[in-house]
Amino acid sequence: QKEVEQNSGPLSVPEGAIASLNCTYSDRGSQSFFWYRQYSGKSPELIMFIYSNGDKEDGRFTAQLNKASQYVSLLIRDSQPSDSATYLCAVKGYSTLTFGKGTMLLVSP
Amino acid sequence: SQTIHQWPATLVQPVGSPLSLECTVEGTSNPNLYWYRQAAGRGLQLLFYSVGIGQISSEVPQNLSASRPQDRQFILSSKKLLLSDSGFYLCAWSRPDRGRTEAFFGQGTRLTVV
């Protein structure tokens, strides 16, 4: 059974701070890793993907992957109230995408 | 560019009634297609996925079924809905490159079974 684990939160950070979201996965054969943002009542929106060990930066977002530790993280710099949402970690093996239950992030003004 | 359409946006159905949710993708060929369900306060559960016409894989045994009658059309059905079928149903697609491809979601259908 492929599993993706995330702390449900909520993670509360003040505006302008760095938010750190973490995810672990069980399937060592996983090939690609994704972070989705989901606002309440809306569908998930892809914000980052990473395939190789190390860091990948895109604007205020940095994804980090450590395959040896089976660990993925997302850093959000200069957090804004509009970043308040649930962040879903997803892991893809051969053909299917497995999601964690998500971490709720609350950014206070 | 690729787009995914899913309808209806909301649906209220009585227990025991049938269900049909439709999803279509434009701007790509031979996509991988997925149906997910998200129950209140829970994560996304993969229900079905398809890598081609008529090729359906079921992840969770239940009273739901899926069909792919055309390359870019994916349908989720039930003959008799249960209360436990309530949830947010999401269709998604990805490129047919196994492994390193992201999935994109439709707007979702919020189903309430009463």
Side-chain angles (χ1 to χ4, degrees):
Chain A
Q1 181 76 8
K2 302 172 185 176
E3 294 183 348
V4 178
E5 300 289 339
Q6 296 182 254
N7 187 321
S8 62
L11 173 65
S12 296
V13 301
E15 183 174 358
I18 297 175
S20 178
L21 304 163
N22 305 314
C23 169
T24 59
Y25 60 95
S26 62
D27 183 6
R28 285 194 172 274
S30 300
Q31 300 180 34
S32 45
F33 308 86
F34 308 89
W35 283 99
Y36 287 80
R37 178 175 62 200
Q38 187 177 24
Y39 292 111
S40 180
K42 302 296 185 182
S43 62
E45 171 193 14
L46 179 69
I47 55 173
M48 286 288 289
F49 60 88
I50 186 167
Y51 303 142
S52 304
N53 278 329
D55 295 359
K56 179 182 178 182
E57 185 175 321
D58 183 1
R60 296 187 296 114
F61 300 99
T62 299
Q64 299 173 317
L65 173 61
N66 184 325
K67 289 187 177 180
S69 300
Q70 295 175 248
Y71 177 87
V72 192
S73 66
L74 179 70
L75 300 178
I76 306 175
R77 291 180 299 281
D78 188 24
S79 295
Q80 301 297 308
S82 58
D83 293 327
S84 297
T86 296
Y87 288 80
L88 305 174
C89 173
V91 174
K92 192 167 186 182
Y94 185 65
S95 60
T96 61
L97 203 58
T98 301
F99 284 82
K101 293 184 178 181
T103 298
M104 181 182 292
L105 172 66
L106 299 175
V107 182
S108 54
Chain B
S1 64
Q2 300 87 7
T3 56
I4 179 169
H5 302 280
Q6 188 182 342
W7 66 93
T10 59
L11 193 58
V12 180
Q13 291 286 99
V15 169
S17 64
L19 173 73
S20 181
L21 301 180
E22 189 165 341
C23 170
T24 59
V25 180
E26 296 178 356
T28 187
S29 298
N30 196 30
N32 291 340
L33 297 172
Y34 310 85
W35 279 111
Y36 285 87
R37 177 173 62 199
Q38 189 174 39
R42 300 181 67 180
L44 282 165
Q45 180 186 35
L46 179 63
L47 302 176
F48 301 95
Y49 71 94
S50 172
V51 297
I53 296 174
Q55 300 179 61
I56 310 294
S57 297
S58 174
E59 290 291 305
V60 181
Q62 59 218 330
N63 70 321
L64 300 172
S65 62
S67 62
R68 185 170 177 173
Q70 300 180 39
D71 180 44
R72 291 169 290 175
Q73 183 184 29
F74 206 22
I75 298 172
L76 182 70
S77 304
S78 174
K79 292 182 179 179
K80 289 186 177 182
L81 285 169
L82 307 172
L83 286 174
S84 58
D85 291 325
S86 294
F88 192 37
Y89 287 81
L90 291 153
C91 181
W93 75 274
S94 66
R95 282 179 287 275
D97 171 22
R98 292 185 173 88
R100 295 187 169 193
T101 56
E102 57 271 37
F104 301 94
F105 286 86
Q107 294 306 299
T109 296
R110 189 160 303 281
L111 172 65
T112 304
V113 183
V114 295

